[in-house]
């Protein structure tokens, strides 16, 4: 699971700087021969975001309901004993 502040109010990583850092960290993790399974949770890509807030285009009601439902499970995801959290 990844935890990092958004770099702008409309996008968490507009130039891909954090993505490059995450790729390096994942590459290091994958070099461990004892690692047999890996999943990655990006909240930005996994939860409905506002499509274009600068122009007033927001989530639909259904997307907003799913977003809020997803938020309810973040604590479990981030605190699960089998979860490694990468903080940038």
């Amino acid at each position: 699971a990844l935890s990092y502040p958004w770099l702008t109010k409309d996008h968490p990583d507009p130039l891909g700087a954090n993505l490059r850092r995450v790729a390096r960290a994942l590459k290091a993790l994958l070099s461990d021969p004892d690692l047999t399974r890996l999943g990655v949770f990006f909240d930005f890509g996994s939860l409905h975001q506002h499509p274009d807030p600068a122009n007033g285009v927001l989530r639909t009601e259904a997307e907003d309901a799913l977003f809020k439902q997803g938020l309810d499970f973040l604590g479990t995801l981030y605190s699960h004993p089998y979860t490694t959290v990468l903080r940038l």
Side-chain angles (χ1 to χ4, degrees), residues 62-80:
E63 290 169 342
D64 200 49
L66 289 170
F67 177 82
K68 289 175 182 175
Q69 185 180 14
L71 290 181
D72 289 342
F73 291 97
L74 289 183
T76 301
L77 176 66
Y78 281 95
S79 65
H80 193 278

Side-chain angles (χ1 to χ4, degrees), residues 2-14:
L2 300 171
S3 178
Y4 56 90
W6 280 39
L7 300 178
T8 70
K9 69 179 184 120
D10 296 328
H11 195 284
D13 190 19

